[in-house]
Amino acid sequence: AVESAKGKYAHMLFNELFEDYSNALRPVEDTDKVLNVTLQITLSQIKDMDERNQILSAYLWIRQSWYDAYLTWDKDKYDGLDSIRIPSNLVWRPDIVLYNKADDDFSEPVNTNVVLRYDGKITWDAPAITKSSCVVDVSYFPFDSQQCNLTFGSWTYNGNQVDIINSLDSGDLSDFIEDVEWEIHGMPAVKNVITYGCCSEPYPDVTFTLILKRKSSFYIFNLLLPCVLISFLAPLGFYLPADSGEKVSLGVTVLLALTVFQLMVAEIMPPSENVPLIGKYYIATMTMITASTALTIIIMNLHHCGSEAKPVPQWAKVVILDYMSKIFFVYDVGENCTSPKREKEEERMLEGDDGCQRRHKEVRSDDCNLKEKLNGNWNKSYGVHGENVRETANCCSCYKMLIKNIEYIANCVRDHKANRAKGIEWKKVAKVMDRFFMWIFFIMVFFMSVLIIGKAA
């Protein structure tokens, strides 16, 4: 019975209030009086942040409240009925819109009910999915912070007719649903009064600044960390043996892998002049890998210098072979950590063979001289001539021819050894330069990684 009585008074009130009411005019008794509209924004969810198109999609609850001078009643006459809920299109509503809207849909706001109180206060809560333009600065992507403005104001009423008042100093974040990509660090609200060039009247608006901080874990593990690991492969190309034939292939493969990651970043970033931090890191790494590949090609040419090449310059022998090889622990070509003296032992063996040949030559020469002396003494003692003398001369000429052949072979061996030593020196120069550039590029990659982390911090 009580509820039916309430419904009866509600119908009576509704019929009396809207009998001569018009929602087309501003509901003030004095047309010179300013109508105050209180605005409150509640952020419920961030649906999308399109960095490339610079559009922020958000789910908002928009609360507007104002006083309607023609919709008041004495609640005691209606059995204490102090408020009713009616469709919003029946009452006058302020035409407050989002100024920086970036949506193609220009439809009307959601036609939800309004709460009408006995003193004429109208409260209108309406949900809205807004798409607003947001200037995105991706200089420090993926460690960036963004500030997106949501500017609300009346489209036709100036400040002398409708004034907007902040309900709170900031947007309400109590019902915000946590986003997987962005952290909310605040939503301060500021009232602005602007005089546009078209009109002399002031137009007030309320700007809510949404402060966003990107959660960078996803991009660290999917874009940054693979780049760091790939960039550390570039210096290892100098450690590969030159005879393997894979030094240049490794550099080109790493360069192609970084190009793929660079294209992935370029697809999600706006085409602006501000290059993101991770993009700068990619470009620097790709430049370094290009330089390392070019240096690898030059060093491989040094490694394959054969016996026809010029000897290693004296300054290179002193600086590279004597000093730098000791600093970078580079052994002779063919040596390793377990047998660093193998090449020297081979040289001593070759020197021993040469000494043996020299001693053999001396013995043969002494033998020939000894036979000549003996034959001479024999001839003096016995007076033998003719056949013995000719035999002795033939023996000496045979020995001389043998010695000449041995000298020719020894000279060939010495020339071959000298040419081989020349090629070994060039190979050692190439090996030392490989180790030198390997450590240089390792240091560069390390400092580049520290630099990007320092800028992000």
Side-chain angles (χ1 to χ4, degrees), residues 374-392:
L374 290 174
N375 289 330
N377 294 331
W378 182 268
N379 293 333
K380 288 179 181 179
S381 301
Y382 297 96
V384 178
H385 300 282
E387 294 180 358
N388 291 333
V389 175
R390 286 193 297 272
E391 291 178 358
T392 303

Side-chain angles (χ1 to χ4, degrees), residues 6 9-10 13 73-75 78-84 118:
K6 291 278 188 181
Y9 284 109
L13 176 62
W73 70 89
D74 186 2
K75 61 180 181 179
Y78 296 94
D79 195 25
L81 185 63
D82 59 350
S83 64
I84 59 175
Y118 69 95

Side-chain angles (χ1 to χ4, degrees), residues 9-28:
Y9 284 109
H11 280 283
M12 292 173 56
L13 176 62
F14 179 80
N15 293 329
E16 291 180 3
L17 287 176
F18 290 95
E19 183 178 359
D20 296 326
Y21 181 82
S22 174
N23 61 1
L25 299 176
R26 191 165 55 97
V28 290

Side-chain angles (χ1 to χ4, degrees), residues 67 77 81 107 136 143 203 223 238-239 244 248 280 293 346 363 368 381 396 414 416 420:
Y67 285 91
K77 294 181 179 180
L81 185 63
S107 60
V136 179
F143 307 101
Y203 283 83
L223 291 179
F238 292 105
Y239 195 75
S244 64
V248 178
K280 294 178 181 178
T293 305
E346 292 179 358
V363 169
C368 184
S381 301
C396 290
R414 292 191 194 97
H416 177 72
R420 183 170 175 270

Side-chain angles (χ1 to χ4, degrees), residues 37-271:
V37 178
T38 303
L39 180 66
Q40 179 181 342
I41 299 297
T42 300
L43 178 63
S44 177
Q45 183 182 2
I46 295 177
K47 295 184 67 65
D48 183 36
M49 180 65 174
D50 189 354
E51 292 92 347
R52 187 170 184 83
N53 297 317
Q54 302 190 43
I55 295 177
L56 171 66
S57 299
Y59 181 46
L60 305 177
W61 297 344
I62 303 175
R63 168 172 288 188
Q64 305 175 52
S65 61
W66 65 94
Y67 285 91
D68 194 320
Y70 301 109
L71 297 177
T72 60
W73 70 89
D74 186 2
K75 61 180 181 179
D76 293 333
K77 294 181 179 180
Y78 296 94
D79 195 25
L81 185 63
D82 59 350
S83 64
I84 59 175
R85 286 161 177 80
I86 57 177
S88 60
N89 58 351
L90 298 178
V91 301
W92 177 89
R93 296 177 301 184
D95 56 346
I96 294 178
V97 296
L98 180 63
Y99 279 178
N100 57 333
K101 187 176 181 180
D103 192 4
D104 296 334
D105 186 12
F106 292 97
S107 60
E108 293 292 330
V110 179
N111 191 19
T112 56
N113 290 339
V114 297
V115 179
L116 176 60
R117 289 175 53 87
Y118 69 95
D119 56 354
K121 184 179 180 180
I122 299 177
T123 303
W124 181 27
D125 288 327
I129 298 177
T130 61
K131 290 185 178 181
S132 58
S133 59
C134 178
V135 179
V136 179
D137 184 10
V138 293
S139 300
Y140 293 94
F141 176 85
F143 307 101
D144 56 330
S145 298
Q146 305 296 336
Q147 293 186 0
C148 296
N149 295 329
L150 299 172
T151 303
F152 292 90
S154 176
W155 191 251
T156 58
Y157 294 104
N158 57 51
N160 299 325
Q161 297 170 333
V162 174
D163 191 15
I164 303 176
I165 300 174
N166 297 343
S167 175
L168 300 172
D169 293 334
S170 64
D172 187 7
L173 301 176
S174 59
D175 296 321
F176 177 72
I177 301 174
E178 185 177 358
D179 191 71
V180 296
E181 185 179 0
W182 298 95
E183 296 177 356
I184 305 298
H185 287 189
M187 193 179 178
V190 177
K191 180 180 177 180
N192 304 306
V193 179
I194 302 174
T195 302
Y196 296 98
C198 66
C199 313
S200 59
E201 297 85 0
Y203 283 83
D205 63 66
V206 177
T207 300
F208 295 87
T209 302
L210 187 60
I211 302 175
L212 303 174
K213 173 68 177 177
R214 191 189 301 271
K215 297 179 181 179
S216 56
S217 300
F218 174 80
Y219 298 98
I220 289 176
F221 285 101
N222 291 278
L223 291 179
L224 185 58
L225 188 58
C227 176
V228 174
L229 296 178
I230 291 174
S231 62
F232 273 99
L233 286 177
L236 291 177
F238 292 105
Y239 195 75
L240 279 176
D243 295 331
S244 64
E246 298 294 333
K247 295 170 71 70
V248 178
S249 300
L250 177 62
V252 174
T253 304
V254 172
L255 188 62
L256 291 176
L258 286 177
T259 304
V260 173
F261 283 101
Q262 176 68 20
L263 292 176
M264 292 175 59
V265 174
E267 286 180 356
I268 60 177
M269 292 294 101

